[in-house]
Amino acid sequence: MNLRKVTAASAVVLSLALATTACGGGKKDSADGGSDKGGKITIGIKIDQPGIGLKTPDGKYTGFDVEVAKYVAKELGYEEGDIVFKETKSADRETAIQRGDVKFIAASYSINDKRLAKVDFAGPYLLAHQDILVRADDNSIKSPEDLNNKKLCSVAGSTSAQNVKDKLAPKAQLQTYGGYSECLTGLQSKVIDALTTDDSILAGYAGQDAFKGKFKLAGFKMSNENYGIGLKKGDAELKDKINKALEKMVSDGSWKKAVDANFGPAGYKNEEAPKIGNIVK
């Protein structure tokens, strides 16, 4: 009788030990949302912005935001093979975070009050500005006001060109295209005179091999865009971990290396890495 009791007790202890082992005791961040039982982490990025976030034909992901995402994930305990990148279009970013589709988002995601009402942000990790891109041999546009009577590319769904027309150059002639690549083709063929959006995005497109040396940034700095990493509202622990990772990325030189590699070919004159929590209005 006593032998049976001891044997049964041992079985219970063994079962508990196995269950604990199966649950895992790794160092990976274990908060809900964007992580699964296979030890993966899902990160939202853009997949159609060269220099920022781009999925290449061979299935690889490149760009500054991609490098930031990889670095942060590594600091959270994930190897590159553990990362699942998920496209998050601009209009879907808050929903993807709230729904738990992603752990966090690094996708040219500017911090503003409207978004802060729905999600939290770590960072900022890049200070970008609205600017214009023109042909390298065009010296006729020296200020935003010179865009009056010029053909300015407007991408469907973007407000950047309309902002220029409303506030700086009321006589600018907006030409609507389906995407930035089409705008670049139009700019190259002189169908349009300028393209406007964030300077980091413009630098990424202009830095492509097919366009190197053909375009230049005007350097107008028409707005401040503080890029942050979006995450679920109220997750202070994850926010703190990501902020520490971003600070380390700057201090060890990885941030500058990623900036130069992804934006340098277009002559992008980036701002210094912003201080965590410092939102430039």
Side-chain angles (χ1 to χ4, degrees), residues 191-242:
V191 173
I192 61 169
D193 301 304
L195 161 62
T196 185
T197 187
D198 295 357
D199 52 8
S200 57
I201 296 174
L202 294 174
Y205 276 99
Q208 295 178 93
D209 290 340
F211 297 127
K212 283 181 181 177
K214 296 181 179 179
F215 306 111
K216 63 183 179 183
L217 289 159
F220 290 160
K221 298 184 178 181
M222 294 181 283
S223 71
N224 294 321
E225 307 296 335
N226 300 274
Y227 287 5
I229 291 183
L231 63 146
K232 187 168 289 188
K233 199 161 187 64
D235 195 342
E237 182 180 357
L238 179 59
K239 179 178 177 179
D240 183 61
K241 288 180 179 179
I242 294 177

Side-chain angles (χ1 to χ4, degrees), residues 261-272:
N262 291 286
F263 302 135
Y268 177 60
K269 297 178 181 178
N270 65 282
E271 300 278 4
E272 292 298 316

Side-chain angles (χ1 to χ4, degrees), residues 94 109 113 115 133 156 199 224 227 238:
E94 286 82 42
Y109 202 3
D113 292 339
R115 290 168 179 163
L133 193 72
D199 52 8
N224 294 321
Y227 287 5
L238 179 59

Side-chain angles (χ1 to χ4, degrees), residues 11 59 79 93 95 108 116 148 156-157 184 188:
E79 297 300 325
R93 289 179 294 204
T95 302
S108 55
L116 281 167
N148 281 309
L184 283 170
Q188 185 175 12

Side-chain angles (χ1 to χ4, degrees), residues 65-112:
D65 281 352
V66 172
E67 293 304 313
V68 170
K70 287 179 181 177
Y71 192 100
V72 170
K74 185 176 181 180
E75 291 302 302
L76 292 177
Y78 296 90
E79 297 300 325
E80 190 169 332
D82 297 329
I83 299 172
V84 177
F85 285 119
K86 182 179 180 66
E87 179 184 13
T88 49
K89 296 182 181 296
S90 296
D92 300 331
R93 289 179 294 204
E94 286 82 42
T95 302
I97 292 171
Q98 293 171 329
R99 212 165 40 206
D101 295 344
V102 295
K103 186 78 168 180
F104 62 81
I105 290 178
S108 55
Y109 202 3
S110 297
I111 304 170
N112 61 40

